[in-house]
Amino acid sequence: MTTEPPRDTPAPAGLLILAGTPIGDVADAPPRLAAELANADVVAAEDTRRLRRLTQALGVHTTGRVVSYFEGNESARTPELVEALTGGARVLLVTDAGMPSVSDPGYRLVAAAVERDIRVTAVPGPSAVLTALALSGLPVDRFCFEGFLPRKAGERLSRLRENENERRTLVYFEAPHRLDDTLAAMAEVFGADRRAAVCRELTKTYEEVRRGGLGELAAWAAEGVRGEITVVVEGAPAPGPGDLAPADLVRLVRLREEAGERRKEAIAAVAVAAGVPKREVFDAVVAAKNEAGAAPGPA
């Protein structure tokens, strides 16, 4: 009787779990969160001290290894977590508040896990984006999330100008000490009368939702605002026929080209959005190109 040598068997696939955490009131923690915290082999936390406070509030004892996973070490720690996942570990990722990878660490780890065919799932939880949208009083059927704007004034204005003609409701995060400058910039680009809502300290004791025009909100914020901030801004009104100047048409075509569209398709799309003939957009683009070519160079 011969015995075959044992064959190497692959390790069971691991599981990456993205867990939403409360954005304010700990009572909003999803029921599954406590069980996942208790059963994970590895808990990767944006702030281990905040994790400790959360587990104490939930009455949970973590038995797995706890590691930090934040912006400063995300790139270096991702391979370590992927190695644990390929070895069959159950890895739970939590951030300070809300859903991992939404303006928080997590994207790199998810991308790396997906690349290696590791299963990724989530424990849905509270979201500042959706909560602010629901409370804003602005249209919520279509929206886009822009995260944090650049800190430098010039870069912030440039980003806002990209959103100037966005028809969907816009959602931004902002630090309280930059809120007045951001709202003032929004009023400059979008117009002082564009409706908006500043949502502060959502689900916390001092929750506040301030609604009004951007100019009015900028004046209010100039007095100083504290807490976690989410800003919701009404989308741009649909342009009527002939409402946009040739320079605006050219700028919209350029933005679409920069996003990867061919000029022909960009011109057609802008014409439809602006409610004007394609020839009008084409002529504006050609005129702008000729004008740029005719501009005198440096002496």
Side-chain angles (χ1 to χ4, degrees):
M1 179 177 176
T2 59
T3 303
E4 292 186 5
R7 297 177 181 177
D8 293 334
T9 56
L15 176 65
L16 173 60
I17 307 163
L18 311 179
T21 54
I23 59 176
D25 190 339
V26 73
D28 293 334
R32 275 180 55 203
L33 178 59
E36 296 294 355
L37 285 167
N39 296 325
D41 298 308
V42 180
V43 179
E46 185 176 9
D47 187 325
T48 56
R49 293 167 299 180
R50 290 198 183 193
L51 172 66
R52 192 177 306 114
R53 289 196 292 269
L54 177 62
T55 55
Q56 289 173 349
L58 296 176
V60 176
H61 175 63
T62 56
T63 57
R65 180 166 58 98
V66 175
V67 299
S68 63
Y69 190 76
F70 58 97
E71 185 178 359
N73 73 353
E74 189 176 0
S75 296
R77 180 137 285 170
T78 292
E80 173 189 332
L81 294 175
V82 169
E83 183 179 355
L85 286 163
T86 55
R90 190 180 187 92
V91 175
L92 181 71
L93 178 62
V94 294
T95 53
D96 292 347
M99 182 60 66
S101 80
V102 180
S103 279
D104 276 327
Y107 166 75
R108 287 184 178 88
L109 182 55
V110 172
V114 169
E115 185 179 347
R116 290 161 179 77
D117 292 325
I118 296 167
R119 186 183 166 211
V120 182
T121 188
V123 177
S127 164
V129 176
L130 297 181
T131 303
L133 271 169
L135 295 178
S136 69
L138 298 171
V140 297
D141 53 331
R142 298 176 67 226
F143 70 91
C144 58
F145 174 57
E146 289 290 321
F148 284 95
L149 289 166
R151 298 181 182 184
K152 295 183 179 179
E155 294 175 1
R156 182 168 56 230
L157 279 172
S158 178
R159 177 77 63 81
L160 288 173
R161 289 191 180 106
E162 292 177 11
N163 301 152
E164 183 178 357
N165 295 293
E166 174 57 62
R167 303 267 295 278
R168 294 170 294 180
T169 298
L170 296 148
V171 184
Y172 302 88
F173 286 160
E174 190 51 281
H177 62 278
R178 290 196 298 268
L179 180 63
D180 56 343
D181 289 337
T182 291
L183 290 172
M186 288 178 172
E188 176 184 341
V189 175
F190 299 152
D193 294 330
R194 179 84 71 89
R195 293 189 300 162
V198 176
C199 304
R200 186 179 72 86
E201 293 290 271
L202 290 172
T203 77
K204 299 177 184 176
T205 302
Y206 298 104
E207 176 181 283
E208 179 183 16
V209 180
R210 195 89 174 193
R211 304 175 183 87
L214 283 168
E216 174 190 346
L217 291 172
W220 161 74
E223 300 176 6
V225 179
R226 294 181 179 180
E228 299 287 336
I229 304 293
T230 305
V231 180
V232 186
V233 182
E234 182 180 33
D243 279 356
L244 294 179
D248 294 323
L249 298 174
V250 172
R251 179 171 52 80
L252 292 175
V253 170
R254 186 177 298 116
L255 287 173
R256 286 181 171 273
E257 286 186 296
E258 290 172 355
E261 285 190 23
R262 293 194 305 171
R263 177 165 295 181
K264 182 178 180 180
E265 284 73 18
I267 288 174
V270 169
V272 171
V276 298
K278 283 193 293 184
R279 185 70 195 186
E280 184 174 333
V281 182
F282 175 81
D283 288 345
V285 171
V286 171
K289 181 178 179 181
N290 291 338
E291 183 178 344

